[in-house]
Amino acid sequence: MKLVGLTGGIASGKSTVAKILTRLGAAIVDADLLSREVVAPGHEGWNEIVAAFGREVLQDDQTLDRQKLRTIIFNNPDARKQLEAIIHPRVRALAEQRIREHAAAGAELIVYEVPLLFEGKIHEWLRPVILVTCDINVQRQRLQQRDRIDAAAAQKIIDAQMSLEEKRRLADYVIENDGSLADLEIQVRAAVAKIKAT
């Protein structure tokens, strides 16, 4: 069994690579999905967030208003740390549980997909790491289209993350997502072949 980390800059195509890996037989553990699970209404994480940030971060159905929370933490480093301290340990514990379940089921390749893998220092215990990257202009355009925001807002979000150059230095495998889907799949297959051979 091989355990691999998967990350990428925002709007770089990480989710597309995860879909290709799934088609190639990998079991995916998605940190974004786990983070939603640990803060579902009534869960301990949800209770702590409501206690820390107030009921105004809830939507009518009692789920978290992720956009409102994002706005709060984007401009307040202390609030961001507080939120991360609630969510991250729970996500890691649940991820480890899911990884064990996939391993017990006989998965040969398990991929832990984490947007902020390097920022969260996950690479210190999880190797190898695949980084999905692209040209900064392509990244900005994709983010603008995806989130329906202007270039300045997109750049502000990109600037809040670790730079792709720094991520490239930390990654074991770099997949460039500037071309076609077919080209992307060729790169993913090559990375998987190398990982399985080591």
Side-chain angles (χ1 to χ4, degrees):
M1 186 274 286
K2 300 272 187 187
L3 177 60
V4 178
L6 173 65
T7 193
I10 191 165
S12 61
K14 175 177 48 62
S15 299
T16 306
V17 168
K19 285 177 189 154
I20 294 169
L21 286 164
T22 302
R23 279 209 318 275
L24 297 176
I28 307 289
V29 177
D30 184 337
D32 266 350
L33 294 180
L34 299 185
S35 71
R36 288 173 189 271
E37 212 173 307
V38 300
V39 297
H43 282 64
E44 198 178 288
W46 180 90
N47 290 331
E48 280 194 35
I49 290 170
V50 173
F53 296 94
R55 299 195 74 83
E56 57 269 20
V57 298
L58 298 179
Q59 301 188 94
D60 292 340
D61 65 359
Q62 298 303 297
T63 59
L64 294 177
D65 186 329
R66 294 169 78 84
Q67 191 58 51
K68 201 170 274 184
L69 263 177
R70 202 173 290 131
T71 304
I72 291 168
I73 66 165
F74 198 75
N75 300 307
N76 185 335
D78 290 334
R80 178 190 290 259
K81 283 187 186 128
Q82 190 177 12
L83 185 64
E84 287 173 351
I86 294 168
I87 295 175
H88 288 185
R90 290 179 170 84
V91 169
R92 180 164 175 179
L94 190 53
E96 287 172 353
Q97 180 190 323
R98 295 286 157 80
I99 288 164
R100 284 193 300 272
E101 288 166 2
H102 284 305
E108 287 181 31
L109 181 63
I110 303 171
V111 177
Y112 187 26
E113 180 186 351
V114 189
L116 302 177
L117 187 146
F118 294 122
E119 291 89 338
K121 307 264 190 281
I122 294 167
H123 62 292
E124 292 177 359
W125 60 268
L126 174 58
R127 287 288 185 178
V129 173
I130 299 171
L131 170 69
V132 185
T133 186
C134 62
D135 177 81
I136 184 73
N137 295 316
V138 173
Q139 184 185 23
R140 195 186 309 107
Q141 284 170 352
R142 285 179 185 156
L143 185 55
Q144 282 179 249
Q145 288 169 352
R146 190 192 79 183
D147 291 4
R148 297 185 193 90
I149 54 177
D150 63 21
Q155 192 60 51
K156 192 174 179 188
I157 293 167
I158 291 167
D159 290 343
Q161 292 193 347
M162 183 186 289
S163 73
L164 286 176
E165 291 72 36
E166 197 171 345
K167 288 183 178 184
R168 281 175 204 268
R169 286 196 295 274
L170 293 169
D172 300 292
Y173 299 92
V174 178
I175 291 173
E176 303 286 351
N177 186 22
D178 294 312
S180 67
L181 199 54
D183 177 55
L184 187 64
E185 182 150 350
I186 288 166
Q187 291 183 73
V188 175
R189 284 180 179 274
V192 168
K194 283 179 188 167
I195 290 165
K196 286 185 172 177
T198 55

